[in-house]
Amino acid sequence: MSTMGDGTRAVRAGLPEPEQYEPTLPGPVFAAHFHLSGEPTGPYTYGRDTNPTWTHLERAIGELEAPGETVETTVFASGMAAISAVLLSQVRSGDTVVLPDDGYQALPLVRQQLEAYGVEVRTAPTGGDAQLAVLEGARLLWIETPSNPGLDVCDLRRLIEAAHGAGVLVAVDNTLATPLGQRPLELGADFSVASDTKGMTGHGDILLGHVACRDPELAAGVRRWRKVVGAIPGPMEAWLAHRSLATLELRIDRQCANALVLAEALGKRQEVTGLRYPGLPTDPSYPVAVRQMRRFGSVVSFVLPDREIAERFLGGLRLVDDATSFGGVRSTAERRARWGGDAVPEGFIRFSVGAEDADDLVADVERALDEAMGGRRAGR
């Protein structure tokens, strides 16, 4: 499948060999145990270890992560389960881990846990490849590019080459880009990690995550961690995720195209500052992003003058839900500072662009901005 297009690959990924009178994608297998006489040498023994539905999904994701190559993928109950599995299976007391200081909001919680286990944690921003300065002596480098929610981009090839030269493992959180936007394993990373709750499944109704890697030994450590902590996905969630992958290219292409149109429209608004979208030629990250990304994601971020205006803007949107998360076919947006933890202004908006008609979406945003700013003038 290495020569196939992304759409064909997404539609066909992970399907079993055809069997007469059997469905093309078998239904979910709900089983805690399997028939098991004699020595346990078969692939399916106990429901916490393996499941046929997971197998199909893991093969599908592996085909998307690195087409034509042998990739071992492990699926998890959530993106955080996948992140924790990599970090906690690969490091031990006395090791050093390098994290981004502008990454996903839950990373500080992971840092606290690592430090409680005696792991030294260093941090640096994603932009400017700043993590290079704190690599010395580390066991693992964790990269998140584009970063969430600030959308900074770092040079993956440069960081991976430097890390490997220093004997450091590299994991890349690829949630925002998806494998159709960026392939960390092809760029040399040891682990590609994602919350499949977001763009991979794309409907906002599944919690799921995965870890993909080429090295069987590293993969075995991750898989063992899943078994030990029991961070396994339900068969129904895994089956729904596999079904959703079939539309991945259709969804991502529409969402990325819409995101660029929206970013261009926002760039013309005087009340909008701090606009970021890696696919916008004027974005500071564009020169790096265009060298390593094939699609630029569905998230646009920007800043409105203050909290009040941001809240009025969100409340005035009719086609966009005020909700957290991103990557869904229905547009969502939120004032990110409401959670605390992210170093963003009170008026910072993270906007996840969906698959609506671009003209309708832009019109809705323009109207909500006009009303929000009009409300400010009326209050003076």
Side-chain angles (χ1 to χ4, degrees):
M1 293 181 66
S2 60
T3 60
M4 291 183 180
D6 287 340
T8 304
R9 188 177 298 109
V11 167
R12 304 293 306 176
L15 297 181
E17 289 297 318
E19 290 189 34
Q20 189 76 346
Y21 310 119
E22 292 295 322
T24 54
L25 177 62
V29 174
F30 300 99
H33 58 262
F34 301 82
H35 289 295
L36 189 67
S37 58
E39 295 299 317
T41 57
Y44 305 110
T45 57
Y46 184 64
R48 181 166 40 82
D49 299 341
T50 51
N51 176 290
T53 310
W54 302 350
T55 299
H56 295 316
L57 176 60
E58 288 171 344
R59 288 174 180 168
I61 293 173
E63 290 172 17
L64 296 173
E65 286 279 6
E69 300 186 40
T70 300
V71 176
E72 300 205 23
T73 303
T74 305
V75 290
F76 289 86
S78 69
M80 279 308 300
I83 290 170
S84 300
V86 173
L87 288 164
L88 297 174
S89 71
Q90 301 302 318
V91 303
R92 62 189 63 184
S93 180
D95 285 342
T96 297
V97 170
V98 176
L99 300 178
D101 65 11
D102 55 349
Y104 179 54
Q105 186 188 44
L107 280 182
L109 299 177
V110 177
R111 175 179 185 167
Q112 293 174 13
Q113 194 62 58
L114 289 169
E115 290 175 339
Y117 290 152
V119 176
E120 179 188 352
V121 179
R122 304 174 191 155
T123 63
T126 299
D129 301 340
Q131 289 175 297
L132 286 172
V134 292
L135 270 182
E136 185 177 355
R139 163 68 178 167
L140 188 144
L141 167 64
W142 187 272
I143 300 171
E144 185 179 305
T145 181
S147 62
N148 173 27
L151 302 182
D152 270 325
V153 172
C154 61
D155 187 333
L156 279 175
R157 292 182 181 88
R158 183 185 181 203
L159 265 70
I160 291 168
E161 182 179 355
H164 285 170
V168 181
L169 292 171
V170 180
V172 177
D173 185 333
N174 200 41
T175 301
L176 201 146
T178 80
L180 266 60
Q182 182 172 263
R183 294 193 178 123
L185 298 182
E186 291 187 349
L187 296 172
D190 299 290
F191 303 94
S192 179
V193 188
S195 169
D196 301 319
T197 308
K198 315 297 195 301
M200 284 286 276
T201 55
H203 292 80
D205 55 6
I206 301 170
L207 288 173
L208 203 75
H210 80 265
V211 177
C213 56
R214 289 193 184 95
D215 188 314
E217 186 175 345
L218 295 177
V222 170
R223 198 168 289 263
R224 181 179 181 276
W225 181 262
R226 181 181 69 179
K227 176 178 179 177
V228 169
V229 302
I232 59 173
M236 191 67 189
E237 284 79 5
W239 184 84
L240 286 170
H242 195 170
R243 183 204 61 173
S244 296
L245 288 181
T247 61
L248 180 60
E249 189 211 30
L250 296 172
R251 291 186 280 106
I252 295 297
D253 278 354
R254 178 64 172 255
Q255 289 171 262
C256 290
N258 282 357
L260 181 58
V261 171
L262 178 63
E264 290 171 342
L266 289 168
K268 299 173 184 176
R269 301 284 306 207
Q270 290 186 348
E271 68 269 55
V272 170
T273 60
L275 175 66
R276 298 300 305 270
Y277 181 64
L280 200 61
T282 55
D283 189 273
S285 291
Y286 182 80
V288 176
V290 77
R291 295 198 302 267
Q292 66 193 28
M293 299 185 73
R294 302 163 62 239
R295 296 171 175 86
F296 299 103
S298 62
V299 177
V300 177
S301 68
F302 56 96
V303 180
L304 295 179
D306 57 37
R307 174 176 178 165
E308 181 185 358
I309 290 173
E311 293 286 4
R312 279 206 302 268
F313 166 69
L314 293 170
L317 292 166
R318 296 170 185 164
L319 299 180
V320 183
D321 296 326
D322 190 345
T324 195
S325 198
F326 58 86
V329 291
R330 290 176 291 277
S331 291
T332 61
E334 68 170 336
R335 192 180 66 83
R336 192 63 188 163
R338 66 181 174 176
W339 298 101
D342 291 317
V344 296
E346 287 293 327
F348 182 96
I349 302 293
R350 185 181 70 179
F351 198 113
S352 174
V353 183
E356 299 89 357
D357 286 311
D359 289 346
D360 294 337
L361 188 60
V362 170
D364 191 40
V365 169
E366 297 268 17
R367 180 195 47 76
L369 282 172
D370 289 341
E371 291 177 358
M373 294 304 295
R376 182 191 192 190
R377 288 192 294 271
R380 285 183 175 176

